[in-house]
Amino acid sequence: MDHFLSADAIRTRFSQAMSAMYQQEVPQYGTLMALVHQVNQQSLTDNPALKARLDATDELERLSLERHGAIRVGTPQELATLRQMFAVMGMEPVGYYDLSQAGVPVHSTAFRPVSDAALRRNPFRVFTSLLRLELIENPQLREKAAAILAQRDIFTPRCRALIAQHQHRGGLNEADADIFVKEALETFRWHTLSTVDSVTYQALSQQHRLVADVVCFPGCHINHLTPRTLDIDRVQALMPEHGITPKTLIEGPPRRAVPILLRQTSFTALEEPVIFQQGETGTHTARFGEVEQRGAALTPAGRALYDRLLAEAGTGADNQQHQQHLAEVFRAFPDDEQTLREQRLAWFDYRLSEQGEAQPPQPGESLTSLIAQGRIVADPIVYEDFLPVSAAGIFQSNLGDRAQARSAGHASKHDFEAALGVKVQDEMQLYQARQQQSLARCGIREA
Ligand code: OOG
Ligand code: NI
């Protein structure tokens, strides 16, 4: 009988192979990784308490492995096959992001592991966008784009065969898993040779640069990979010294004592040479590098407060001023763990301390008192997902200023799920279940 390699192991191998490929393709990403590693080491040295907590919650180990990537596909069939490919690696679609509001003609989900154990092993995520051809105004161009997309197959035959084999037998042995990783990687490789002539490219690009990016190439090239840092302000400040130009603003919430959700920055996309079908040469701008700092996952109430304050703060032209302004506006958002917990603004993972193991909670003892006595430890649950406003900011910084609002679109989760072939999971339900399970493990029924 075959011994199957675990989905966690396949995911880790794939994520490492992807990172190696991208470092070769985009050397600046390698430079960024080295910088992030250096900054993380410094943060851990400067902050022993942070180090101890990351260690206790098994996050220290995943930190250097951790990254997310992003891809964009053109058709429902491509999305559906990607879902099956990611399932081999234990990655499931979580969340729905409508970016048409921000003038980007796509909607998206994140493929990621969902169980506690799998997230601890390796939380590799891929932000995956589906082009919404219906948002192309010109009907001839829309049909042309559809026809071009209909002709390509972004998956190798071997990759398709191994996905089917995985579905039939319930797993892949080590040798097959290695072939699968190698074949799956082909889908995300960069191609210098476009599938269209330069006139078609220009026409699609004029519609929206993202349309050209998705339609004019034989695969769905990975457009960025993102390591996780413990200090994004420092990375942003050090980027220029390392020959990397950061985007103007760090997206997301301000720096805080208790980090929340997700802060992100990136370097702007490279202009790369391409060759068109008639042999004409040109350039295409799509690929970049990004950094993220992750904080606590927020409850619906916390998220509503975040969205309100973010909208109130607006945007800015200078990062330092913007961060200062954000910090002022976010004074309305409690910034200590106890208040975040008591006001139910963030999700927490509860565990028994040594003392708590020795003297387990009794019926009637309150959580607050158990925590105060040090018998239960509450750790904020890390946010594993994305933020649509930030994502739009990242897209925008890599598309140039021409990508003005084109919000003919409206959210269409239903269409997205029909293309995907399954419903996306609700991230809030996942966080809530995790908090609930951690309480149950402590022998407690209600938070
Ligand atoms: C995806 C941009 C969104 C993030 O981290 O929010 C994203 C894209 O450019 O395809 O990756
Ligand atoms: Ni990203």
Side-chain angles (χ1 to χ4, degrees):
M1 239 227 27
D2 266 353
H3 176 75
F4 293 146
L5 201 63
S6 72
D8 290 345
I10 302 179
R11 181 171 68 258
T12 294
R13 285 182 195 199
F14 179 77
S15 149
Q16 269 161 355
M18 187 92 120
S19 182
M21 178 174 85
Y22 202 57
Q23 274 177 69
Q24 280 212 324
E25 290 184 347
V26 180
Q28 278 206 344
Y29 162 66
T31 311
L32 189 64
M33 288 238 300
L35 171 59
V36 166
H37 181 73
Q38 177 196 319
V39 167
N40 287 354
Q41 289 312 111
Q42 190 65 46
S43 298
L44 292 171
T45 311
D46 293 350
N47 194 342
L50 174 67
K51 183 171 182 195
R53 175 172 244 176
L54 289 173
D55 207 12
T57 52
D58 280 336
E59 274 182 80
L60 201 52
E61 215 186 298
R62 81 176 213 184
L63 185 65
S64 58
L65 279 179
E66 179 159 356
R67 62 184 72 93
H68 83 251
I71 53 174
R72 306 152 184 170
V73 291
T75 67
Q77 294 76 18
E78 289 174 354
L79 184 67
T81 307
L82 273 178
R83 168 176 65 80
Q84 299 172 60
M85 176 200 275
F86 285 129
V88 174
M89 309 178 217
M91 296 158 75
E92 299 169 30
V94 178
Y96 172 74
Y97 304 89
D98 169 31
L99 292 159
S100 68
Q101 299 302 324
V104 185
V106 302
H107 44 183
S108 322
T109 190
F111 288 97
R112 67 163 176 89
V114 293
S115 79
D116 253 18
L119 285 165
R120 265 202 297 274
R121 295 296 292 275
N122 186 330
F124 182 56
R125 322 163 179 82
V126 178
F127 191 90
T128 303
S129 300
L130 174 64
L131 182 62
R132 297 176 70 180
L133 281 180
E134 77 271 18
L135 299 186
I136 299 183
E137 294 135 20
N138 176 332
Q140 279 98 29
L141 205 57
R142 195 186 319 136
E143 274 158 38
K144 182 151 197 180
I148 297 166
L149 286 169
Q151 279 180 13
R152 74 179 187 183
D153 186 354
I154 64 173
F155 305 97
T156 70
R158 196 94 196 261
C159 180
R160 286 182 179 279
L162 286 165
I163 293 171
Q165 181 182 321
H166 183 275
Q167 287 168 349
H168 291 135
R169 299 194 198 155
L172 294 177
N173 68 24
E174 180 155 15
D176 286 341
D178 279 339
I179 301 171
F180 168 79
V181 165
K182 196 168 135 287
E183 296 287 324
L185 209 57
E186 290 306 309
T187 298
F188 308 107
R189 188 180 290 289
W190 170 248
H191 298 271
T192 310
L193 195 58
S194 169
T195 52
V196 304
D197 56 40
S198 64
V199 175
T200 306
Y201 175 89
Q202 290 307 338
L204 291 169
S205 178
Q206 217 128 71
Q207 194 51 219
H208 196 292
R209 270 167 57 181
L210 207 112
V211 175
D213 183 57
V214 175
V215 175
C216 302
F217 297 91
C220 68
H221 42 262
I222 176 88
N223 70 56
H224 67 273
L225 279 177
T226 307
R228 178 175 169 194
T229 181
L230 298 172
D231 188 347
I232 197 163
D233 300 289
R234 203 176 163 85
V235 173
Q236 174 91 356
L238 289 176
M239 272 202 229
E241 277 172 39
H242 289 73
I244 307 172
T245 311
K247 79 189 274 294
T248 313
L249 298 183
I250 298 178
E251 300 287 343
R255 187 183 186 91
R256 292 162 40 96
V258 184
I260 51 169
L261 297 174
L262 176 63
R263 303 181 70 205
Q264 292 165 291
T265 185
S266 64
F267 60 78
T268 40
L270 312 171
E271 191 169 322
E272 300 177 272
V274 285
I275 302 166
F276 296 104
Q277 276 301 299
Q278 316 283 336
E280 326 91 292
T281 56
T283 60
H284 180 65
T285 316
R287 303 192 305 156
F288 58 98
E290 185 192 34
V291 190
E292 67 184 15
Q293 180 169 2
R294 290 191 175 262
L298 301 184
T299 62
R303 179 55 185 270
L305 180 56
Y306 169 78
D307 286 338
R308 182 166 71 70
L309 297 179
L310 191 75
E312 190 183 319
T315 153
D318 174 85
N319 189 49
Q320 227 160 13
Q321 275 173 17
H322 178 60
Q323 295 303 324
Q324 217 158 47
H325 177 56
L326 267 181
E328 276 156 30
V329 174
F330 271 76
R331 282 209 194 113
F333 205 119
D335 195 13
D336 66 278
E337 290 185 15
Q338 189 176 341
T339 313
L340 289 171
R341 210 172 49 71
E342 286 172 0
Q343 295 190 5
R344 299 184 186 223
L345 294 169
W347 299 110
F348 283 82
D349 185 279
Y350 297 92
R351 59 190 157 92
L352 292 176
S353 65
E354 260 176 53
Q355 196 194 335
E357 304 267 9
Q359 193 193 342
Q362 299 302 311
E365 283 189 288
S366 82
L367 196 52
T368 307
S369 121
L370 287 161
I371 292 171
Q373 291 170 45
R375 285 156 65 199
I376 283 190
V377 183
D379 297 303
I381 295 178
V382 177
Y383 188 58
E384 305 286 354
D385 296 287
F386 294 87
L387 297 169
V389 174
S390 300
I394 299 284
F395 266 110
Q396 233 52 295
S397 71
N398 287 290
L399 291 171
D401 305 324
R402 232 173 19 80
Q404 74 293 103
R406 200 185 297 261
S407 49
H410 42 82
S412 185
K413 189 175 177 186
H414 178 267
D415 290 356
F416 187 82
E417 289 178 334
L420 190 63
V422 297
K423 287 197 180 313
V424 299
Q425 297 188 52
D426 180 324
E427 67 276 16
M428 286 296 177
Q429 276 173 18
L430 293 171
Y431 294 121
Q432 182 174 25
R434 184 159 158 199
Q435 173 171 296
Q436 208 51 48
Q437 283 155 12
S438 74
L439 282 167
R441 276 196 302 272
C442 295
I444 292 186
R445 287 192 27 227
E446 250 313 306

